[in-house]
Amino acid sequence: MENVVLIIHLLLALGLIAVVLMQRSEGGGLGMGGGGGGNVSGRSAATALGKLTWVLGIAFIITSITLTVLVAQKSSGASVIDRLGVTPPTATDTDTGLPAGDSLLPPTADDNAPLVPLAD
C-alpha cells in the first residue's frame, strides 16, 4: 500500500513540476506584473493549466499526509534500533573509554623521570 501511494506521489510531483513550467510567466513575481489595462481586480481568468495546478497540488498534499499517516502507523513507537534487533552495548561506570585524568596533565619535576643535564 505504501509503495503504491509513494509511486502516485512521485508521479504527482513530476506532473506538478511540468504543469508549473508550462504556464505563461507573468513577470514581476508575486502577481505584481502582467499588465492588463482594464483589469482592476488584479485577478486573471482561471486557465486550464491553473486549474490543473490546483488539482495536482491538492492531490500532492493528500498523498503527503497519507504517507505520513502510513509511516506513523508502521513505526508505532518503536525506534530504528528496536526494528533492527540490535541491542546497544551497556555502559559501565568504570569503562568510559576516556583516558585517566592524570595522564592529561604535563609531567612534573617530582615524577620519577631522570633529568638530562644541558650540554655546554
Side-chain angles (χ1 to χ4, degrees):
M1 172 77 175
E2 184 180 345
N3 289 336
V4 173
V5 176
L6 185 60
I7 290 171
I8 293 171
H9 187 69
L10 292 175
L11 291 174
L12 285 171
L14 292 175
L16 190 58
I17 291 169
V19 168
V20 167
L21 289 176
M22 287 190 312
Q23 290 182 10
R24 183 175 60 96
S25 176
E26 295 290 328
L30 298 177
M32 298 182 140
N39 194 0
V40 177
S41 67
R43 299 184 71 194
S44 61
T47 62
L49 285 177
K51 290 179 183 178
L52 185 60
T53 303
W54 275 100
V55 170
L56 289 175
I58 291 170
F60 183 82
I61 291 172
I62 290 172
T63 56
S64 297
I65 293 171
T66 304
L67 284 171
T68 303
V69 169
L70 288 174
V71 170
Q73 287 176 349
K74 192 176 188 180
S75 67
S76 67
S79 70
V80 174
I81 294 177
D82 292 340
R83 284 188 268 152
L84 290 176
V86 178
T87 57
T90 57
T92 60
D93 292 335
T94 57
D95 183 25
T96 60
L98 299 174
D102 57 350
S103 65
L104 297 176
L105 299 175
T108 60
D110 60 335
D111 285 346
N112 292 332
L115 296 177
V116 179
L118 296 174
D120 289 328

